[in-house]
Amino acid sequence: MDDGGGTGPVGEDQDRAPAQEALPPPEVIDGFMRFVPLLEAWYRRAPEEMPRELAEVFDRNRLTGRHGSVLSQLVHGQEPTVGELSSRLGVRLSTVSELVGDLAYAGLVTRRKDPANRRRVLVALSAEYRPLMERFAASRAAPLLRVLDRLTPEARQGFAEGLRAWAEEVTPSDR
């Protein structure tokens, strides 16, 4: 029997509380974590940087940043399904379905049956709001594009791999 000192065989300490997470070392805080609040502030500024007409649609329909994240997945003219959006955004299918419904009601997206599989619904930006969304997406992407231009191909690949790994680590697995 384990005495709580952690010396018992693997599996015998299941009733104990999990070990406390360790604080990150100073080089992780200084080299990485100190930038997270700056990026969070940049994301928070998105509503202020929206074209006026788009901001009015968001206000009138009480749309949020979560709705904006759906729109950003549509700006390149792709027509993903609600399921594909759910996977891309790391959000439950029911949540994405509700967000898409709100966006369709606001006139920002259209939905149509997939001709290859009539049970699936494809989502696209509406023609009316496409130019506004493209302009907004381009202005929001400009800082990242400037950074990517300064990086070597190897550094770009490392940057992308790091972001992907971090996103996967913080995305709940029970979506």
Side-chain angles (χ1 to χ4, degrees):
M1 172 148 166
D2 187 12
D3 64 1
T7 58
V10 175
E12 283 193 8
D13 59 355
Q14 293 155 340
D15 294 330
R16 291 190 313 152
Q20 182 176 3
E21 297 287 334
L23 287 174
E27 62 271 12
V28 170
I29 293 172
D30 291 343
F32 298 94
M33 294 184 78
R34 71 185 181 113
F35 299 108
V36 174
L38 301 175
L39 293 171
E40 190 272 335
W42 177 79
Y43 276 103
R44 234 181 312 123
R45 284 196 312 268
E48 302 163 13
E49 297 176 2
M50 266 187 195
R52 181 188 48 76
E53 186 179 348
L54 188 59
E56 288 172 357
V57 172
F58 266 66
D59 288 343
R60 187 171 50 252
N61 292 280
R62 298 179 187 201
L63 302 177
T64 67
R66 294 184 90 182
H67 294 92
S69 65
V70 172
L71 293 174
S72 70
Q73 297 297 311
L74 306 174
V75 79
H76 289 289
Q78 299 170 337
E79 291 183 296
T81 65
V82 172
E84 289 166 342
L85 287 169
S86 171
S87 179
R88 289 182 191 180
L89 298 170
V91 178
R92 291 181 190 274
L93 184 63
S94 59
T95 301
V96 174
S97 182
E98 183 178 338
L99 294 170
V100 167
D102 295 343
L103 291 166
Y105 180 80
L108 292 168
V109 302
T110 60
R111 296 177 284 193
R112 68 180 182 93
K113 296 239 185 246
D114 183 348
N117 180 347
R118 305 286 293 159
R119 292 174 293 171
R120 294 172 14 132
V121 175
L122 303 175
V123 182
L125 280 176
S126 70
E128 179 183 357
Y129 290 101
R130 175 169 290 288
L132 283 173
M133 269 308 300
E134 288 175 347
R135 189 171 84 222
F136 181 50
S139 71
R140 294 292 290 172
L144 176 60
L145 294 175
R146 289 192 298 271
V147 167
L148 293 175
D149 280 345
R150 295 193 315 246
L151 298 177
T152 65
E154 295 81 17
R156 270 190 227 140
Q157 182 177 350
F159 182 65
E161 288 172 5
L163 285 175
R164 185 179 308 109
W166 189 17
E168 289 170 356
E169 183 67 26
V170 299
T171 300
S173 60
D174 66 336
R175 295 184 294 119

